[in-house]
Amino acid sequence: MPVKEKWSLWLRWLGANAFGELFGLGLSLTALALFISRAGQGQGVGMVLLSFLVAVVSGVFEATVVSYAQFWAMQPWFSSLTRRAWWLGTLAGALAAYALGYLPSTLMDLGAQTGQAAPVAEPAQWIVMLLAAGLGLAAGAVLSFAQWLALRRVACGAGIWIPANMLAWMVSMPLIFWGIDIAQKAQSMAHTVLIMAGVLLLIGVVAGAVHGIFLVHIASKSKAYSST
């Protein structure tokens, strides 16, 4: 594959992920925030479980927007891949990753509701970032597994897609925690929205830049194989 063509795929992929995370993850977070604001100060095990369910289901927004944007970017190089297959793979991975991501806080909330959990001091920022990176590794594997199942049917060398996403989200996940922490300290709602929009855009750029490199390699290998 010519260098110009590699750059074209990588830049399309970068833009698609920036757009996808800004609007897709933005919609997911907005849906969850609206539910929490309407639920008010509701307490009890039922409310904790309902909040967990809403948080996981909100991943549909991110999965749909991101998958459609990604498919637009990659389709010229992976013509055998269907939009439906990529959407289903992204959706399955996103819902599983959301469940994994929200499970620890949900278990803590359940413990608090049942009186079985003692108050826990907030950890240092560097510990939070380290845990976020570990969560990104796990979430990246979960998120990309079903995508890999779809990609391996149409491309050679697709096995690197899972470690590519693990690396991308290991770098990107701490940015989410950092952004939420900064946004919570904002002086106004307008500042909060602007900060989160900037952070979501940055997340899409960083993640897309990382696993985009691997996607270009897969495309190049597949094209070289098909031409022999």
Side-chain angles (χ1 to χ4, degrees):
M1 181 185 291
V3 174
K4 184 178 180 180
E5 193 173 348
K6 291 181 180 180
W7 272 107
S8 178
L9 171 56
W10 186 79
L11 288 173
R12 281 171 65 100
W13 183 259
L14 185 71
N17 280 273
F19 171 87
E21 295 300 344
L22 173 60
F23 291 99
L25 185 52
L27 282 173
S28 294
L29 293 176
T30 300
L32 181 57
L34 287 174
F35 169 78
I36 293 174
S37 65
R38 289 182 177 274
Q41 300 299 317
Q43 299 293 322
V45 172
M47 182 56 67
V48 173
L49 294 177
L50 180 59
S51 298
F52 174 72
L53 178 62
V54 171
V56 173
V57 173
S58 71
V60 172
F61 294 111
E62 182 185 9
T64 300
V65 176
V66 169
S67 67
Y68 274 59
Q70 289 180 339
F71 181 79
W72 167 82
M74 67 195 299
Q75 200 276 331
W77 290 268
F78 299 89
S79 57
S80 298
L81 182 67
T82 66
R83 182 185 287 109
R84 181 176 182 274
W86 193 250
W87 173 71
L88 288 175
T90 306
L91 178 63
L95 294 180
Y98 269 57
L100 174 67
Y102 284 108
L103 185 60
S105 60
T106 299
L107 292 176
M108 292 177 62
D109 289 342
L110 286 174
Q113 292 295 328
T114 58
Q116 296 177 355
V120 179
E122 184 175 343
Q125 187 70 11
W126 70 269
I127 296 179
V128 173
M129 294 297 102
L130 188 62
L131 291 174
L135 178 61
L137 278 172
V142 172
L143 177 64
S144 60
F145 180 77
Q147 286 184 334
W148 165 71
L149 291 178
L151 193 58
R152 70 172 184 167
R153 295 188 179 97
V154 301
C156 299
I160 63 172
W161 189 241
I162 294 177
N165 277 267
M166 293 175 67
L167 177 61
W169 286 104
M170 181 190 73
V171 177
S172 301
M173 190 64 72
L175 295 176
I176 298 178
F177 284 74
W178 170 76
I180 292 175
D181 182 62
I182 297 297
Q184 288 176 338
K185 300 174 182 177
Q187 299 296 320
S188 67
M189 179 58 68
H191 287 159
T192 299
V193 172
L194 287 174
I195 291 171
M196 286 307 302
V199 170
L200 295 179
L201 186 64
L202 178 61
I203 290 167
V205 169
V206 172
V210 175
H211 48 46
I213 295 173
F214 293 84
L215 184 71
V216 170
H217 176 76
I218 295 171
S220 299
K221 188 172 182 180
S222 296
K223 187 169 184 178
Y225 178 81
S226 62
S227 62
T228 58

